[in-house]
Amino acid sequence: MNGEWGDAWPDAGSGRHWHEECGVFGAWGCDHAAQLTYYALYALQHRGQESAGIATVDGGEMFHHRGLGLVAEVFGPEDLERLAGKAAVGHVRYSTTGANKLVNAQPMVFDVHGGPLALGHNGNLVNAGVLRRELEDQGSIFQSTSDTEVVAHLIARHRGGSLVDAIVDSLRTVQGAYAFVFLTPDGLVAARDPQGLRPMALGRFGSGWVVASETCAFDTIGAEFVRDIEPGELLVINGGGVQPVRFAEAARKALCTFEYIYFARPDSDIDGRNVHLVRKAMGKRLAEEAPTEADVVIGVPDSSISAAVGYAEAAGIPYEMGLIKNKYIGRTFIQPSQALRERGVRLKLNPVRKVVEGKRVVMVDDSIVRGTTSRRIVQMLRDAGAREVHVRISSPPVRFPCYYGIDTSAREELLAARLSVEEMTRAIGADSLAFLSEDGMLQALGAGPEAEGRGQGGPGDTFCNACFHGWYPTRLYDDLGKHVMEMAAHRGGYS
Amino acid sequence: MNGEWGDAWPDAGSGRHWHEECGVFGAWGCDHAAQLTYYALYALQHRGQESAGIATVDGGEMFHHRGLGLVAEVFGPEDLERLAGKAAVGHVRYSTTGANKLVNAQPMVFDVHGGPLALGHNGNLVNAGVLRRELEDQGSIFQSTSDTEVVAHLIARHRGGSLVDAIVDSLRTVQGAYAFVFLTPDGLVAARDPQGLRPMALGRFGSGWVVASETCAFDTIGAEFVRDIEPGELLVINGGGVQPVRFAEAARKALCTFEYIYFARPDSDIDGRNVHLVRKAMGKRLAEEAPTEADVVIGVPDSSISAAVGYAEAAGIPYEMGLIKNKYIGRTFIQPSQALRERGVRLKLNPVRKVVEGKRVVMVDDSIVRGTTSRRIVQMLRDAGAREVHVRISSPPVRFPCYYGIDTSAREELLAARLSVEEMTRAIGADSLAFLSEDGMLQALGAGPEAEGRGQGGPGDTFCNACFHGWYPTRLYDDLGKHVMEMAAHRGGYS
Amino acid sequence: MNGEWGDAWPDAGSGRHWHEECGVFGAWGCDHAAQLTYYALYALQHRGQESAGIATVDGGEMFHHRGLGLVAEVFGPEDLERLAGKAAVGHVRYSTTGANKLVNAQPMVFDVHGGPLALGHNGNLVNAGVLRRELEDQGSIFQSTSDTEVVAHLIARHRGGSLVDAIVDSLRTVQGAYAFVFLTPDGLVAARDPQGLRPMALGRFGSGWVVASETCAFDTIGAEFVRDIEPGELLVINGGGVQPVRFAEAARKALCTFEYIYFARPDSDIDGRNVHLVRKAMGKRLAEEAPTEADVVIGVPDSSISAAVGYAEAAGIPYEMGLIKNKYIGRTFIQPSQALRERGVRLKLNPVRKVVEGKRVVMVDDSIVRGTTSRRIVQMLRDAGAREVHVRISSPPVRFPCYYGIDTSAREELLAARLSVEEMTRAIGADSLAFLSEDGMLQALGAGPEAEGRGQGGPGDTFCNACFHGWYPTRLYDDLGKHVMEMAAHRGGYS
Amino acid sequence: MNGEWGDAWPDAGSGRHWHEECGVFGAWGCDHAAQLTYYALYALQHRGQESAGIATVDGGEMFHHRGLGLVAEVFGPEDLERLAGKAAVGHVRYSTTGANKLVNAQPMVFDVHGGPLALGHNGNLVNAGVLRRELEDQGSIFQSTSDTEVVAHLIARHRGGSLVDAIVDSLRTVQGAYAFVFLTPDGLVAARDPQGLRPMALGRFGSGWVVASETCAFDTIGAEFVRDIEPGELLVINGGGVQPVRFAEAARKALCTFEYIYFARPDSDIDGRNVHLVRKAMGKRLAEEAPTEADVVIGVPDSSISAAVGYAEAAGIPYEMGLIKNKYIGRTFIQPSQALRERGVRLKLNPVRKVVEGKRVVMVDDSIVRGTTSRRIVQMLRDAGAREVHVRISSPPVRFPCYYGIDTSAREELLAARLSVEEMTRAIGADSLAFLSEDGMLQALGAGPEAEGRGQGGPGDTFCNACFHGWYPTRLYDDLGKHVMEMAAHRGGYS
């Protein structure tokens, strides 16, 4: 453990406004760039349903449209038509808590250095609060409560050198997790943080180039995967092709494992691994580590189905659809009152009585955060007649909050931070409960125990598993600055 | 073959405006009836995404709200609040072609016999055109282009007797497929057509009663399944409880098999069978009838997953997620231009390269209608590197159009109506193609070959398999009347 | 007084749901008929701001669009484009109380006799309730709570003869005030009630024909006035030109004087008289009948300005703008709370202090109904420093409710029904109050005292002055039927 | 002529994006401040229909809502409810050309000096372009294309001293026309430019204070007029009362005469004069300067009615309503096609044939800018039968563009800049044409010829008459900076 890896334990409750898991996309030299971005964002929709936006450049002009809601809600045909040009950046944003306002939607567009700059960001900057306070003291006026805007102001105030110089210097100032896309009339810039916490890949579309948070966006638009962007690497893409710039020392890589466990789409490949196959391998490994006598294996849809199928296959127990998820749930849905909840109204998941009735059921889920969902599902299965319910979790217990963009939760809300596995078993009402070990998880990821990045170094990739063991790959800051932004977020303003 | 079973072959192209697969729900004596109906309709949303509506009664007053779109789009909190009372009927409507207008949304509400009547309908009436023409000749003014309104006018013109008498007589006049719910201040009436073509079940919610097209609605609201409503049976539900009335001779039952194959939710039970388990059994049976050497089994999401898992289990080949469906597609989505399609943009399904690359793939789907989707998926899998693609269809070839509410297609568009299986294999570009046999299908449904309702009679249920062999369970009418309604449907009016 | 002139005194409170002062327009053989109608309705907007609608025919097809709100809110460019054809009818509807629902918006469109029929109506039918009940008893289903729909059902049930025959017979069945426009693929029909209570004129537009409630619509679209339609006359307009049909005996004409006093636009001519000039003549005559010493004459905008200018001119006292009306008030305006009202917030009218301060003011208004507005304005002027306020009303006292479409009020609310002029002076807080005499009004209208239609007959026009003296020009019906429709209007339904 | 008065002649075409005639309002210490502001903005609606906004403070928090459209369209009841607190600023904005975007709507709200600041602006800053370029060079990021935002950045970058110091220094840096309202949690600041080009007054509302562009806002909310704010004066309003600060030398006052001629409401008093009475005096004076033989005097509604009544009174010719304006025209109105225009469709004004037919008509208007409207009205009157049309303009010829917020036009478009009065008479097709002289105008304003502020000094007020003679009361800047902002305005972005 050393200085680079944060050991401070910041106040758990304060981090929540910062979480911004999102999806980004960029295109350069592509016909119909806005339409292309629209379909790419649609493929990345699972990474963010709060807002969507696209900015394009055509000659020296920038065009911009963003709005709250799903991609299909935000854009009409006339919006796409207005977004002229062969270069674009797009963004979908995830709703955590608070501050779902249009000004926070991305890409953001600013006038800097006498020209327009659009930027989109996936991740979370841990020193944004401190930097914002400094910039405001110097007379900068912020438009949003987003940490992303800090980078725009750093670039705007940069003196001397090119815009790429300004971007590089600004990225060296901020810390945290990010995949960034920048668009100007002169080029597209894509950057991944020094730890590689958030994924980003480069692809080829005809004679043009594309970048995206996940490769499923390439498949959707018919682009060809070229390579993952390296941690601490920035690509300058323009008429001259793709120019890689290494703006940070090759730190120990620390890709977020939750991208595999829960967040990414099963058909995406991240840093060379297919998400579905990793999940299925986790399920198989889990069956080996924690076998049980049972009649059926079921998964909690959608993210746990791969692991459940893997468990079933390894265990030789039939896989069944024991839980059905309603796929029509949307943002405008009216939640049932307490009275109706008590009467048994349940919207998201429905157990299949004829599948579980009288059966010993293995229920595979990808993670336990607060435990409320697990308890509810176990009870639901018992109500539907399950004789035994054995819960199997295809990742280790989550004991620490995430500061890099995954909305896990404050520490005191994490079930595994407070209880032993035995206590958790009782808490969720299961007949048995088992988690995949960290070693098992790393093996499913195709890496040895040395891969976990505890400082020993070693061959192969390393991952950020801070939520499992609390060793954070960056410095953490006290939350003085955060309070400033939270206050701003609560204010009525910034319509 | 006899008179009861239609042998006329009406013009295939003309039937399309009639298809109205929908979902209905009714509640009587239930607190928060409107909210309850809202959640029930949400559970039935897969049966219709075009429009949604609820009507309630409170004392002698009726309240009504309907709109175009999903349940969550049509209703706001203030709408539900306004829908006072402990009795309600609700409806979701399926968009086939044309006539997606508010006046066609259901439930429809009319003033008849000096009081309000709401009605909701799932199915299709085959003599609606003829009846409408007669009613219009007598001076009735229609508000919509829906066949459902014919029943309202028949009831309004009925002289003498109670409203239930009027309903019974009206149902004896119409022919075709239907699950009907009627609501008046005095009671809720639910009716299923004499052949039982469309499903409907009765449930208990506390001290009140509920009826629904599918049992998944009961699970969602925490109601208890009581029994299926019988073909030709009508239930009068009011303060005195549930009063069954048999308004038609117990005809040979002819439940639509497509409810199991494709339409219903996997967690629903219809006439005693669970949909997921029937599908899985079809997949297993298919593996026995049409085995093949392969490395992986994949299903076309969502409706074919159960069959694919069954095939994999019976065949001993690993089941994998080889095709991922984007779950965010909505009604307002902008379709890609031809140029972008040719460039490879594909939105609905994405193959998982690492799953199929270099593999012999069994691709399980539930049916082939026009064949265009199958051809596209086969090509997609080959593009992703599949070495062989063996298509297995978990139902028999669809050779005849449906006149009872399932939007199959006109006959000349049905691939199996024109081509042999061998020709179809080439048409979709597969290495092999096989369909489940009708006998196999019936066995998966737990019925012998006698169950198919070819007129021999016999034990057990019978089914409508008209789309497979063309023996229709009702008389069919020439489409003179239909043209009248189609003309009306094309007119600009009736906003 | 005789049987034709109603002497029954129906319950005053019950008439209110019937009031429907509106504007109608029709065009035949005109290019861009929908656009033309749009601009004509815009000119007639003062006759109704609740809803607007247009129906057109092109070949055998009818197109239709209507909505709640102003003309400019209801129609977008694409709506007008969709309304194809060279013939149209349009309607604007006035909001009285209750029942502002889309189903009540006009023109209404129905399928009758195997074809589409659109109809629009200005006025009020006094026997609609009775007829509706009879029709419902025979099985007719009504779509709206509007009295207009009764006519559609009468036409639909008519057997034998042409559509014009059906219209004529239906108009002979209904009683009350109306200007009707009917549109079918075969022609445009315009009809004015036998008493001529509501105005309607015929105009020429190029080689086509137009009809409108007021001639200002002709000026706006550049049409040429041809003639007023006669009471009891119906015009059949089609490819063969204009065919007049007299469907009722030439009853004593009884044009509503309130059209001149308050309702119509000053630039319209009705039955040969210009509205502004009639109003100015009323003001002059009022100055002669009720002179006073004063420094300034002011009018209550907008409808009383003409009379005020006339008064000032005849009295030789300067006319000033002493009251300014805010012209931006709209339907969605938020009304001030009681607290703010008490603090002095007043929105509609503002006195001009420098005009009235220290002055003796003559305040001219067109009528007094409940007296609340007059009292408020008098107080407002005193607060602004007026030394004396002399109120002069350019019409006689309103003592009786209207059943023909003008929303005067229930009888017990009419100030002049309860109080003498002296008592009214005190009630509104004026220094003096005077009304124009009936004779004076008739002279301003260019008619002698015999013109009032009290049964003596005589040369020249006659008018309906029922609101002044209670002699109604048609039979009145008890309101049994009305209750039925009011109940329906209060129901939640008919979205 | 001296340095203070601009003599440069900037390119006429470039000034157009700057014009922002608007209305501002502020309240401090008033219950229901947001509602109060809503009604005040409604009274000021004639000053701007493009957008509306309100910001309030409650404790240390600021609340903010703004939108495109009329006050009644922008605010709903829940918006007003959310705007908590007893202090508010409000704004309505006028649409000139381009840049009608939400980001340009006011009040704008910014975080400066660690707290929120709202500002609203009526007028136009002539050095905003230059200042913006300087600020952007220093790294400031602008959110809008409005000149108002320059002031916010100047305040944000101000170091040392209080916020009032920062406002004073910033106002000393900008030049041009302005009435500004600033709101922070600590107080309300209202400032009027050193020349007093734009009006602003102070009023009392109970124990609180209000400021407004026009006094009609005070009348509407029941506030009491206290005094006009002085040119170069700033009022600091907080718990301690009203503190006046003189931030600029008392320059020669140069109130815009167009506020009287056209822009302000007739019931407002500006710098002690009532607008209606000034207009009537202008009309009387015009009758003396340019009499004519005629039968009727008519005015072009709405702004010329007062002058027309004055002319009629002085000339002893009857005043009549010869032109009627449709009061329902709104922003969403569909303009007639060229074809319909040629067929005679005219929407805004309608002549009253019976008033003008066969008559010699004096048509009074307030000004001629491009002359197209005058020509059209003259023709319209002739078409309606007028025998002679004598045009009388109640202000001098407009020969120079305005840079202070009135949207006159570019110079080459001004009819009087190109043609003599005789040529103009022919151009508009009148029988005669006369303008009020500058001396006559000043006398109607109650000021001698010395009042015009040509540099001689003298008693009484002075006015800005730059549009009549081209002597501008401030320095003018080249439009280098303007191009930057115009480019930004044309860009697609900043949604």
Side-chain angles (χ1 to χ4, degrees), chain D residues 281-352:
Chain D
M282 285 170 169
K284 284 182 167 175
R285 177 88 196 171
L286 181 59
E288 290 159 20
E289 290 188 2
T292 188
E293 292 284 306
D295 302 308
V296 291
V297 175
I298 67 172
V300 179
D302 294 328
S303 50
S304 307
I305 299 301
S306 296
V309 167
Y311 192 102
E313 199 177 305
I317 305 170
Y319 165 77
E320 299 285 352
M321 283 192 183
L323 291 164
I324 301 295
K325 187 178 172 182
N326 192 319
K327 59 185 172 182
Y328 294 101
I329 207 138
R331 288 171 313 117
T332 58
F333 202 74
I334 303 166
Q335 292 306 311
S337 62
Q338 188 53 31
L340 281 176
R341 260 181 227 282
E342 281 163 17
R343 293 298 294 269
V345 168
R346 60 178 170 241
L347 299 174
K348 221 174 146 187
L349 282 178
N350 194 25
V352 185

Side-chain angles (χ1 to χ4, degrees), chain A residues 34-35 38-39 65 71-83, chain B residues 332-335:
Chain A
Q35 284 90 329
Y38 175 82
Y39 297 116
H65 184 75
V71 174
E73 296 166 336
V74 166
F75 293 94
E78 66 295 337
D79 297 317
L80 289 186
E81 207 146 306
R82 204 171 54 79
L83 293 165
Chain B
T332 60
F333 202 74
I334 303 164
Q335 292 307 311

Side-chain angles (χ1 to χ4, degrees), chain A residues 60-67 82 102 109-116 132 136-144 149 152-153 156-157 159 487-488 490-495, chain D residues 60-67 82 102 109-116 132 136-144 149 152-153 156-157 159 487-488 490-495:
Chain A
E61 280 193 77
M62 180 162 284
F63 300 91
H64 186 208
H65 184 75
R66 58 181 180 169
R82 204 171 54 79
L102 186 57
V109 171
F110 305 94
D111 275 335
V112 295
H113 300 195
R132 181 177 174 136
E136 288 189 327
D137 284 349
Q138 291 163 35
S140 288
I141 295 181
F142 278 71
Q143 307 178 19
S144 72
E149 195 182 346
H153 283 276
R157 285 180 172 269
R159 295 268 78 68
M487 268 174 54
H490 284 306
R491 209 179 294 150
Y494 304 117
S495 70
Chain D
E61 278 193 78
M62 181 163 282
F63 299 92
H64 186 207
H65 183 74
R66 57 180 181 171
R82 204 172 54 80
L102 187 56
V109 172
F110 303 94
D111 275 335
V112 295
H113 300 196
R132 181 178 174 137
E136 290 188 329
D137 284 349
Q138 292 164 34
S140 288
I141 295 180
F142 278 71
Q143 307 179 17
S144 72
E149 194 181 346
H153 284 276
R157 285 180 172 270
R159 295 269 80 68
M487 270 175 51
H490 284 306
R491 208 178 293 152
Y494 304 120
S495 69

Side-chain angles (χ1 to χ4, degrees), chain A residues 270-437:
Chain A
I270 300 178
D271 288 355
R273 297 171 196 86
N274 171 257
V275 172
H276 160 70
L277 291 176
V278 166
R279 287 181 189 166
K280 193 169 178 190
M282 285 169 169
K284 284 184 169 174
R285 176 87 196 173
L286 180 60
E288 290 159 21
E289 289 188 3
T292 187
E293 291 284 307
D295 303 307
V296 291
V297 174
I298 68 173
V300 179
D302 294 331
S303 50
S304 307
I305 300 301
S306 297
V309 167
Y311 192 104
E313 199 177 306
I317 305 171
Y319 166 77
E320 299 284 351
M321 283 192 186
L323 290 164
I324 301 296
K325 186 177 174 182
N326 193 321
K327 60 184 169 182
Y328 293 101
I329 208 140
R331 289 171 313 115
T332 58
F333 202 74
I334 302 166
Q335 293 307 310
S337 62
Q338 187 53 30
L340 282 175
R341 260 181 226 284
E342 280 165 16
R343 292 297 297 267
V345 168
R346 59 175 171 245
L347 298 174
K348 222 173 143 187
L349 283 178
N350 195 25
V352 186
R353 174 174 294 272
K354 301 226 171 185
V355 164
V356 300
E357 204 166 32
K359 303 279 174 54
R360 295 168 301 168
V361 177
V362 174
M363 170 197 129
V364 178
D365 203 351
D366 53 55
S367 54
I368 290 184
V369 178
R370 271 173 301 232
T372 40
T373 305
S374 305
R375 186 172 58 243
R376 212 173 291 143
I377 299 173
V378 169
Q379 186 57 48
M380 203 182 272
L381 293 170
R382 292 205 192 278
D383 291 348
R387 216 168 76 214
E388 295 173 14
V389 181
H390 301 275
V391 177
R392 293 295 177 269
I393 304 298
S394 59
S395 67
V398 173
R399 296 202 175 94
F400 297 84
C402 176
Y403 297 100
Y404 306 115
I406 295 284
D407 184 28
T408 47
S409 246
R411 198 184 185 205
E412 64 275 324
E413 294 175 324
L414 296 171
L415 196 70
R418 294 188 289 110
L419 304 182
S420 69
V421 171
E422 201 178 327
E423 290 167 327
M424 290 172 78
T425 311
R426 282 196 298 274
I428 66 171
D431 290 287
S432 75
L433 167 66
F435 291 86
L436 182 60
S437 67

